[in-house]
Amino acid sequence: LLKLGGYGIIRVLPICPPPNTTLIYPFMMLALWGIIMTSLIGLRQPDLKALIAYSSVGHMGLMISATLIQTHWGLSGAMLLMIAHGLTSSALFCLANMNYERTHSRALLLLQGAQIIFPLMAAWWIIASLTNMALPPTINFMGELLILTTLMNWCPLTIIITAIGTTLTAAYTLYMLLCTQHGKLPHGLSLPPMMTREHLLLALHMIPLILITMKPNLLF
């Protein structure tokens, strides 16, 4: 739904009258403040699926702020981020559901130490978390870099809010990764191994992301 809303904003804003600066400010402030608020909520979130959902909302705050400026770089960065985060967020939700199918709980701490018995799942977790943090040279990083450049050219003060939001994004993503993969495995859990269909599902998320990263001009 977030990606559909972003698509609607990109398609509707160009056919509207030229935006007035005083009209943009309230929506821009809400979008930028939403990045920090959702990141702070994510840092205190014990529910794995809720944490991933808040992460998606925080990234969409960046996308909305870029589309409101209506520049070529802003729209290109918004489109890149929507496609990249659509794949990344979906992969994270798939991993969270795999944890839920084995533990019947969405608690972050219940499957700590999972890399001991699920090393391949831990590899998928690391790849998805690094792309969620917009690690260079992923397509997530390219989209966020275009958006940050657009916002800084529009108003230099926005770099403070976006820098805080980027730092908090890395913080709660690492918190999610460490809580689910490191630590001491709880006793009394009977955990079935990963199946081939689960690896295939995650590969179908990550392979397009890697291919787009290698040739981003397909989207431009």
Side-chain angles (χ1 to χ4, degrees):
L1 288 176
L2 288 169
K3 312 304 178 291
L4 185 63
Y7 174 76
I9 292 173
I10 291 174
R11 291 300 297 267
V12 169
L13 277 182
I15 64 175
C16 292
N20 190 1
T21 306
T22 55
L23 190 61
I24 285 180
Y25 282 144
F27 296 103
M28 186 69 72
M29 290 171 61
L30 285 173
L32 293 174
W33 184 241
I35 298 170
I36 297 179
M37 289 302 297
T38 53
S39 300
L40 289 173
I41 294 171
L43 277 175
R44 294 181 54 86
Q45 188 60 243
D47 190 315
L48 181 57
K49 284 191 176 181
L51 194 155
I52 299 170
Y54 280 116
S55 168
S56 185
V57 175
H59 280 88
M60 286 305 102
L62 272 176
M63 185 276 302
I64 292 171
S65 59
T67 53
L68 287 173
I69 300 175
Q70 287 290 297
T71 62
H72 179 69
W73 276 30
L75 293 174
S76 298
M79 187 177 67
L80 285 178
L81 187 62
M82 284 168 63
I83 295 171
H85 194 70
L87 293 167
T88 304
S89 179
S90 180
L92 287 171
F93 274 118
C94 288
L95 286 165
N97 186 64
M98 292 172 193
N99 285 4
Y100 179 77
E101 287 177 345
R102 287 163 172 79
T103 62
H104 303 290
S105 174
R106 301 194 305 189
L108 270 171
L109 300 176
L110 192 58
L111 200 61
Q112 58 181 352
Q115 68 172 356
I116 301 170
I117 53 177
F118 297 127
L120 289 177
M121 184 188 284
W124 289 119
W125 269 108
I126 292 171
I127 296 171
S129 299
L130 291 179
T131 53
N132 191 58
M133 288 190 294
L135 186 79
T138 59
I139 198 71
N140 306 61
F141 171 74
M142 298 178 196
E144 288 196 15
L145 185 63
L146 285 173
I147 291 174
L148 295 182
T149 306
T150 302
L151 289 174
M152 192 169 64
N153 287 333
W154 180 72
C155 178
L157 290 178
T158 56
I159 194 64
I160 299 172
I161 299 176
T162 52
I164 294 172
T166 304
T167 305
L168 290 174
T169 300
Y172 68 68
T173 305
L174 289 174
Y175 163 69
M176 175 182 66
L177 182 64
L178 293 174
C179 283
T180 55
Q181 303 304 311
H182 294 269
K184 190 175 180 180
L185 192 70
H187 296 288
L189 286 178
S190 177
L191 303 175
M194 283 193 73
M195 291 176 277
T196 306
R197 65 172 177 82
E198 293 175 330
H199 288 297
L200 177 62
L201 179 63
L202 293 168
L204 291 175
H205 282 89
M206 290 300 141
I207 289 174
L209 202 62
I210 295 170
L211 292 177
I212 295 172
T213 300
M214 294 172 64
K215 200 170 180 62
N217 58 344
L218 292 174
L219 299 181
F220 285 110

